Amino acid sequence: WYSVQDEHMPAVATLRNENPSRGLAVKHSHIDAHNLSLWLPSDLGSRGSCDEHLRMCEWELRKAQADEALSGMREALAVEYAVKEAKLAYGQGVRAGSKSMNKIHDSRAMAEYYGRMYRRARKAMIALADMLPPSIGKDCLKNFPALNP
């Protein structure tokens, strides 16, 4: 895997040697694929170059991740709202209160998870926006605003 990546992104070999924690066991001859830490174009930034097609592929990946995260967050917040409304309207007793509080807690945890996913995708998109034509990068980035904490 490293040789394929080095072919498409030559700067990664140097970065992998500078940052051994990302290159996980460069000394070992056999590394399982799930233990590899591959660099993506957004990880390179200005430290190296890579193929324009790779940047566009990652851009599309990150856009899809951000869209999926926003959809998941909307769904989790809608569930939380619906449970709160139902609790106010119909919730009586300790059992119903505990059950609804658990659902609210779960939906809030999912919203936070999707928020982290969105922030990670957006951070990569910001890094990629400088490497792409403005009509693709910076203009499209306006559709993905920063989330408030």
Side-chain angles (χ1 to χ4, degrees), residues 6-136:
D6 292 346
E7 183 179 322
H8 295 284
M9 299 169 62
V12 170
T14 307
L15 293 171
R16 194 179 310 115
N17 291 331
E18 291 173 4
N19 192 350
S21 64
R22 284 288 309 264
L24 203 76
V26 174
K27 306 169 205 146
H28 298 2
S29 60
H30 174 74
I31 303 170
D32 294 328
H34 62 273
N35 287 330
L36 289 176
S37 180
L38 296 177
W39 292 69
L40 294 173
S42 62
D43 296 327
L44 286 179
S46 62
R47 296 178 286 188
S49 64
C50 68
D51 185 40
E52 177 80 20
H53 179 69
L54 286 176
R55 285 189 220 124
M56 286 303 300
C57 287
E58 186 184 2
W59 178 261
E60 292 301 319
L61 167 74
R62 300 304 186 167
K63 260 182 33 178
Q65 285 177 334
D67 282 333
E68 182 180 333
L70 289 174
S71 295
M73 195 180 317
R74 270 188 224 103
E75 183 179 328
L77 293 173
V79 167
E80 181 178 342
Y81 177 77
V83 170
K84 285 181 179 179
E85 288 294 309
K87 182 181 174 185
L88 287 174
Y90 308 108
Q92 296 177 3
V94 174
R95 183 175 183 196
S98 295
K99 191 172 184 179
S100 62
M101 287 308 293
N102 287 339
K103 283 196 175 283
I104 290 169
H105 180 268
D106 291 347
S107 63
R108 188 166 295 154
M110 286 306 296
E112 289 171 3
Y113 165 77
Y114 284 119
R116 287 189 303 273
M117 178 192 266
Y118 176 80
R119 285 182 183 96
R120 195 172 343 154
R122 187 173 184 279
K123 181 180 176 185
M125 289 171 71
I126 290 169
L128 285 168
D130 292 333
M131 298 182 238
L132 296 171
S135 61
I136 296 171

